[in-house]
Amino acid sequence: MINPFDDIYFMRKALQEAELAFEKGEIPVGAIIVVKDRIIARTHNLTELLNDVTAHAEMQAITSAANFLGGKYLTSCTLYVTLEPCQMCAGALYWSQIAKIVYAASDEQRGFKTLGTKLHPKTEVVSGVLAEEASALMKRFFIERRNLN
Amino acid sequence: MINPFDDIYFMRKALQEAELAFEKGEIPVGAIIVVKDRIIARTHNLTELLNDVTAHAEMQAITSAANFLGGKYLTSCTLYVTLEPCQMCAGALYWSQIAKIVYAASDEQRGFKTLGTKLHPKTEVVSGVLAEEASALMKRFFIERRNLN
C-alpha cells in the first residue's frame, strides 16, 4: 500500500509556509513538526516582522510543538524545514532531542553542517527533499528584492 | 576617576537574575543586556516554567533588547551572562551582531567554545568575570535538587 504521508508530502506543507513568509517580505523559510503523521506546528520565518533574529521558522516550530505536547522534549517528532538549519536552530534542536530532521535546500555558508553544530546523538537527518523547489523560491525572493531596491 | 559601571557591576546584576531562576527551580542562569551603561534587558532561564528548550536567559535577552531598541541588531550592546552560552544562544548572538559578550562560569561540556560555534567577527568575548560566584550558585542548585529527589 502506498503511504501518502511521506517526506515529500510533509515538505510540501513546509513549502506552503515558506510561501507565506515570501508574501510578507520575509526570507522564505517554512517549517512544520509532525508526530505520527499529524502536523502539530506550522511556522515561517518572521525575523523582519517581529524585529527579532531569533524568530526563525524552526525556533517557533519547536516552541509551538512543545506547547502542543505539554512537554519540552520532541523525542517522537520530525521537523520538516525548507532550508538547512543554522547554528542557532540546530542548537535548539539539540536541546529538544528531536527524533528526525528533514530539510530541503542546503545552506553552504551558514548551515549547521558547514559550521559543525552538534545535534543530539539520537537525531536522524535527511536532506535534499524538494531541494530544487525550496532553492527556486529563495532565488526568486532575492531577485525580486534586488529589483525593488 | 573610578567608573562604577564595570563588568563586575553588571555581572552582579546578571547574578541577581540567576538567583531569581534558582528560586523558581530553574537551572540558575541570568543575563542582562547593556547599552551605554544602561540595562535594557534583564532575563533568566525559564525552560521549565515555559516548557520550552529555547527559553534560555540569553534568547529572551536578545528578543527583549531588540524590542526595546526597535531594531533586531545589537551592534552597540553588551550581554552579561552567568554561564558560557550554548550553541543555540551563541548562534542567536551571531545573528544579532552583538558588540560584546561577557560571561562568568565556563561550560566545558556544552559551551560554545568547546563546541566551536561561530560568533560574528565583530563580537568581542570576555570570560571569567565573577566565575566563582556563578559556579557556586550552579553547584548549590544541583546539590539541592539532588537532595529533593
Side-chain angles (χ1 to χ4, degrees):
Chain A
M1 217 173 83
I2 293 169
N3 179 10
F5 300 116
D6 59 5
D7 284 349
I8 291 174
Y9 173 86
F10 288 118
M11 191 59 83
R12 286 210 192 286
K13 303 290 182 191
L15 272 168
Q16 286 168 9
E17 285 294 320
E19 295 270 7
L20 293 177
F22 189 112
E23 286 165 21
K24 292 175 182 168
E26 300 280 354
I27 294 177
V29 181
I32 64 163
I33 289 182
V34 174
V35 182
K36 291 183 185 164
D37 293 340
R38 185 174 169 193
I39 298 172
I40 62 165
R42 294 173 191 264
T43 54
H44 51 267
N45 179 34
L46 286 174
T47 47
E48 297 301 321
L49 207 77
L50 298 180
N51 251 327
D52 186 347
V53 297
T54 75
H56 283 191
E58 301 95 310
M59 300 301 285
Q60 297 174 65
I62 293 166
T63 300
S64 178
N67 271 336
F68 178 88
L69 295 170
K72 64 184 192 294
Y73 297 117
L74 309 180
T75 49
S76 304
C77 298
T78 299
L79 169 79
Y80 293 86
V81 58
T82 59
L83 183 68
E84 181 183 341
C86 72
Q87 299 183 120
M88 169 180 72
C89 294
L93 290 163
Y94 167 87
W95 289 119
S96 79
Q97 302 181 20
I98 198 158
K100 189 175 167 186
I101 299 168
V102 183
Y103 66 87
S106 291
D107 184 348
E108 306 289 348
Q109 281 199 307
R110 287 163 165 178
F112 79 96
K113 284 210 169 168
T114 304
L115 296 173
T117 313
K118 189 181 171 185
L119 294 178
H120 192 273
K122 286 189 185 159
T123 302
E124 181 193 346
V125 179
V126 174
S127 63
V129 176
L130 298 183
E132 279 183 34
E133 286 85 338
S135 294
L137 186 66
M138 199 70 98
K139 271 178 206 150
R140 186 154 61 83
F141 176 80
F142 285 109
I143 288 168
E144 283 193 19
R145 200 159 76 162
R146 213 161 30 228
N147 292 343
L148 284 173
N149 290 337
Chain B
M1 217 173 82
I2 293 169
N3 178 8
F5 299 116
D6 58 6
D7 284 350
I8 291 174
Y9 173 86
F10 288 117
M11 191 59 82
R12 284 209 192 286
K13 302 290 181 190
L15 273 167
Q16 286 169 9
E17 285 294 320
E19 294 269 8
L20 293 177
F22 189 112
E23 286 165 21
K24 293 174 183 169
E26 300 279 352
I27 294 178
V29 181
I32 64 164
I33 290 183
V34 174
V35 182
K36 291 183 185 165
D37 292 342
R38 185 175 168 192
I39 297 172
I40 63 166
R42 294 174 191 264
T43 54
H44 52 267
N45 178 35
L46 286 175
T47 47
E48 296 301 321
L49 207 75
L50 298 180
N51 251 328
D52 186 348
V53 296
T54 75
H56 283 192
E58 302 95 309
M59 301 300 285
Q60 298 175 65
I62 292 166
T63 299
S64 179
N67 271 335
F68 178 87
L69 295 170
K72 65 184 191 295
Y73 297 117
L74 309 180
T75 49
S76 304
C77 298
T78 300
L79 169 79
Y80 292 86
V81 58
T82 59
L83 183 67
E84 181 183 340
C86 72
Q87 300 183 118
M88 169 180 71
C89 294
L93 291 162
Y94 166 87
W95 290 119
S96 80
Q97 303 182 19
I98 199 158
K100 189 175 167 186
I101 299 168
V102 183
Y103 66 86
S106 292
D107 183 349
E108 306 290 347
Q109 281 199 306
R110 288 164 166 177
F112 79 97
K113 285 211 169 171
T114 303
L115 296 174
T117 313
K118 189 181 170 184
L119 294 178
H120 193 273
K122 286 190 182 157
T123 302
E124 181 192 347
V125 179
V126 174
S127 64
V129 175
L130 298 181
E132 279 183 35
E133 284 85 339
S135 294
L137 186 65
M138 200 70 97
K139 270 179 206 150
R140 187 154 60 84
F141 176 80
F142 286 108
I143 288 168
E144 282 193 17
R145 200 159 75 163
R146 211 157 35 225
N147 292 342
L148 284 173
N149 289 337

